[in-house]
Amino acid sequence: MKKNDEFELLIHDMTDQGEGIGKQDGFTWFVKDAVIGDRIRARAMKLKKNYGYARLMEVLEPSACRVPERCPVARQCGGCQLQMMSYPEQLRFKERKVWSNLRRIGGLDGLRLPGAESAKQEKCQNAGKNDGEINTDSASVEMEPIIGMENPWRYRNKAQFPFGYGRDGKVKTGFYAGRTHSIIENDDCYLGTEENKAVLKAVKDVMEERGIEPYQEEIHAGLVRHVLIRKGFSTGQLMVCFVINGDKLPYEEEFVERLLRIPGMTSISFNVNRERTNVIMGRRTVHLYGPGYIEDKIGDVSYQISPLSFYQVNPVQTERLYNTALEFAGLDGTEIVWDLYCGIGTISLFLARRAKWVYGVEIVPEAIEDARRNASLNGIENATFFTGKAEEVLPRRYEEYSERADVIVVDPPRKGCDEACLETIVRMEPDRVVYVSCDSATLARDVKYLTANGYQVSRVRCCDMFPMSGHVETVCLLSNRKPDSYVHLNLKMEDYYRI
């Protein structure tokens, strides 16, 4: 097989990123936009020793779960890796991915998929294996059904659109193609709100009428780099923030006047980013209109969201995710809770309604300011927030102040929990650990450490925060076992940090 050779391939699996996987003569191929069950014609693009990457040229026999893409630029854009897969099959794919990682990496051999899917997958997974390969001593836990969406479209409350020039010399905006900085023109992403299209038209009209240049990355010239748009789903409030390669936005009054024609417009600002960098937002934000934030609610908790605030992009599913975390925490009003990687306090404030006291920890100072302001906004007085790394604040509070915890909630970034943080959790011995994860591989790694050091997995449930993409959130409850019910392995942390 050589580069540009074409061949037929049957897709039998998919990667975490949504690439189809097929095998031919023992050689593994990865093919973007292919779906499990597809028989395709592919073209070899990049070959390694035991695997290669191919381009989908034609679907010869479509999978039963293949559906037409709704967006005309879905394949070029790359933001929706699974748009060609039916939504029920997307949910099954995500459940299986989490289940597989927790078993393979986390060592949870007794973990079962929900209901009938469990028996079918167990039969497939264990086909041809000897009984000795399955750890029948591990706790048997059945995953709870994934939380999907009734309408998996128009769910994103935030979008960041890069600006550039089209081939016709006019201003264009859209999204970067996968692994590139080439803009695929798109004014109306079906995952974003309908107001995005009106905002982008108003911005482009003023730019073209007044000769304002978009940013050109290759020569570090031009003004408008990105436009950030956020919407409060519960309030209807809109925010627009220009990210500019300059210290001033010309014709700012005209931009404001045009944008205020859009119902719900509440906050307009610009953010200065003059660096040659892939980071979108700079440090300084100048407010042109409104209070500098919008408000939104998750359940009965209100939040103020500024341009730089971290806030979950899917508010409908966020409420379901946080209610799941709250349910798993099992609070009765007497518990001391630590919320690590707390952001602007979204989970902390949910927990505070049921806990005796909540301590939140976050490394970003601006996020802690937002968290304290949101606590005050909601009249919540039983929450304290600390600025710093969770792996530094938690051990210090434990060692210097003998702070205890009945429940610890962690919602770390994709890299998972820092090893010092996990070690401190084990030393503090909380009754329950609620782990909210956006990456099931690092979740599995951290679960493996915790289960080897006194905890057992009691409940697992996925929540589909990002329909049409390969990402999924998972909530995992780990319960503290009594000292005489387990053998403390005392393994080194490096054993768990090899993925």
Side-chain angles (χ1 to χ4, degrees):
M1 187 71 70
K2 307 184 302 295
K3 184 178 179 180
N4 293 324
D5 282 355
E6 295 192 3
F7 56 96
E8 289 189 15
L9 189 69
L10 177 64
I11 303 300
H12 65 84
D13 201 352
M14 294 179 75
T15 69
D16 288 0
Q17 290 75 38
E19 295 173 313
I21 303 174
K23 287 192 175 182
Q24 188 180 68
D25 300 325
F27 193 82
T28 300
W29 290 99
F30 298 96
V31 189
K32 181 178 175 293
D33 302 313
V35 178
I36 296 173
D38 279 346
R39 183 176 294 279
I40 66 171
R41 180 168 59 86
R43 175 178 294 170
M45 302 303 295
K46 188 175 183 180
L47 288 86
K48 299 289 186 178
K49 184 178 180 180
N50 298 312
Y51 66 93
Y53 296 90
R55 176 177 295 165
L56 174 64
M57 303 304 293
E58 182 184 1
V59 178
L60 302 174
E61 295 179 20
S63 164
C65 64
R66 175 174 280 278
V67 296
E69 295 98 331
R70 178 178 293 194
C71 175
V73 296
R75 289 185 61 178
Q76 302 97 302
C77 171
C80 295
Q81 302 96 342
L82 302 181
Q83 198 175 126
M84 65 290 185
M85 178 187 282
S86 70
Y87 189 57
E89 188 61 30
Q90 288 183 37
L91 297 178
R92 283 191 287 270
F93 164 70
K94 293 179 182 186
E95 272 186 336
R96 290 194 298 267
K97 175 176 72 172
V98 173
W99 172 81
S100 176
N101 282 337
L102 286 172
R103 285 172 57 108
R104 179 174 53 86
I105 301 170
L108 301 183
D109 297 325
L111 185 67
R112 293 173 287 121
L113 283 162
E117 186 71 13
S118 174
K120 183 175 73 173
Q121 194 66 31
E122 288 283 348
K123 182 178 179 180
C124 175
Q125 185 77 9
N126 298 332
K129 290 187 177 181
N130 296 323
D131 291 340
E133 293 179 289
I134 300 298
N135 180 7
T136 56
D137 291 332
S138 64
S140 179
V141 176
E142 182 174 311
M143 293 175 62
E144 297 170 37
I146 187 171
I147 304 172
M149 296 193 73
E150 292 78 16
N151 176 20
W153 303 98
R154 301 289 187 194
Y155 63 81
R156 289 187 63 96
N157 60 14
K158 174 185 176 183
Q160 297 173 133
F161 292 89
F163 276 66
Y165 282 117
R167 293 181 179 179
D168 57 3
K170 292 185 177 181
V171 176
K172 74 171 181 179
T173 186
F175 298 99
Y176 292 129
R179 300 183 179 92
T180 77
H181 272 207
S182 174
I183 298 175
I184 303 299
E185 193 164 5
N186 184 3
D187 291 344
D188 188 20
C189 171
Y190 288 110
L191 302 188
T193 66
E194 294 180 346
E195 290 89 346
N196 289 347
K197 187 174 183 180
V199 169
L200 295 175
K201 183 179 186 307
V203 172
K204 286 198 297 182
D205 285 350
V206 175
M207 289 178 66
E208 290 173 352
E209 291 167 12
R210 296 301 185 183
I212 299 173
E213 295 186 345
Y215 182 64
Q216 300 172 69
E217 184 178 24
E218 61 278 7
I219 60 174
H220 193 52
L223 184 69
V224 179
R225 300 175 69 131
H226 286 78
V227 168
L228 163 70
I229 308 171
R230 304 185 95 151
K231 179 180 179 180
F233 275 33
S234 69
T235 62
Q237 295 179 2
L238 291 173
M239 167 192 293
V240 173
C241 182
F242 298 81
V243 182
I244 62 173
N245 178 39
D247 294 315
K248 183 173 175 56
L249 180 67
Y251 300 100
E252 60 184 43
E253 297 88 355
E254 195 161 343
F255 277 116
V256 169
E257 189 273 329
R258 296 286 183 94
L259 290 171
L260 287 177
R261 298 177 187 177
I262 302 170
M265 190 60 60
T266 302
S267 175
I268 304 170
S269 59
F270 69 84
N271 175 270
V272 177
N273 184 356
R274 305 195 70 171
E275 303 296 322
R276 275 193 141 160
T277 176
N278 292 332
V279 177
I280 292 177
M281 303 293 285
R283 292 182 177 273
R284 185 167 73 94
T285 300
V286 178
H287 301 301
L288 303 176
Y289 173 84
Y293 59 83
I294 58 173
E295 292 188 353
D296 198 14
K297 296 184 73 172
I298 300 176
D300 57 1
V301 181
S302 297
Y303 301 92
Q304 291 181 353
I305 309 148
S306 66
L308 294 173
S309 294
F310 171 79
Y311 188 69
Q312 292 280 10
V313 300
N314 186 337
V316 174
Q317 292 295 87
T318 296
E319 181 174 0
R320 294 167 176 168
L321 177 73
Y322 290 176
N323 277 328
T324 301
L326 181 62
E327 178 188 342
F328 282 17
L331 305 179
D332 62 14
T334 64
E335 295 88 357
I336 302 297
V337 181
W338 280 83
D339 178 18
L340 309 183
Y341 313 93
C342 71
I344 65 170
T346 45
I347 293 182
S348 300
L349 302 184
F350 253 63
L351 299 169
R353 299 175 302 167
R354 302 274 185 87
K356 180 179 180 180
W357 205 275
V358 175
Y359 296 101
V361 183
E362 172 59 51
I363 192 173
V364 181
E366 294 83 1
I368 289 297
E369 292 175 10
D370 285 342
R372 290 168 178 160
R373 184 169 59 249
N374 287 325
S376 177
L377 177 67
N378 289 276
I380 293 175
E381 298 179 347
N382 61 330
T384 303
F385 296 96
F386 300 101
T387 302
K389 295 181 179 179
E391 58 269 22
E392 295 176 357
V393 174
L394 189 63
R396 185 171 65 248
R397 300 294 299 188
Y398 175 65
E399 293 166 6
E400 296 180 9
Y401 300 97
S402 299
E403 298 280 7
R404 58 182 293 272
D406 299 297
V407 178
I408 292 180
V409 177
V410 294
D411 185 9
R414 292 197 176 280
K415 66 179 182 178
C417 290
D418 184 273
E419 56 186 285
C421 178
L422 288 176
E423 290 168 353
T424 305
I425 290 173
V426 170
R427 290 204 309 273
M428 291 180 74
E429 297 183 325
D431 295 331
R432 295 176 294 284
V433 176
V434 179
Y435 197 129
V436 181
S437 171
C438 59
D439 188 300
S440 58
T442 54
L443 165 67
R445 177 203 66 199
D446 294 348
V447 160
K448 185 175 184 180
Y449 176 78
L450 292 170
T451 55
N453 287 277
Y455 286 83
Q456 67 180 18
V457 172
S458 302
R459 300 179 71 178
V460 180
R461 191 168 199 182
C462 300
C463 182
D464 188 24
M465 295 281 286
F466 313 103
M468 309 302 147
S469 83
H471 303 298
V472 64
E473 296 273 334
T474 306
V475 186
C476 183
L477 171 62
L478 295 107
S479 303
N480 195 344
R481 291 178 286 180
K482 295 180 180 180
D484 59 354
S485 68
Y486 69 93
V487 177
H488 196 295
L489 298 181
N490 197 28
L491 298 179
K492 295 181 179 179
M493 278 305 301
E494 52 261 33
D495 294 332
Y496 304 93
Y497 279 77
R498 291 177 178 168
I499 63 172

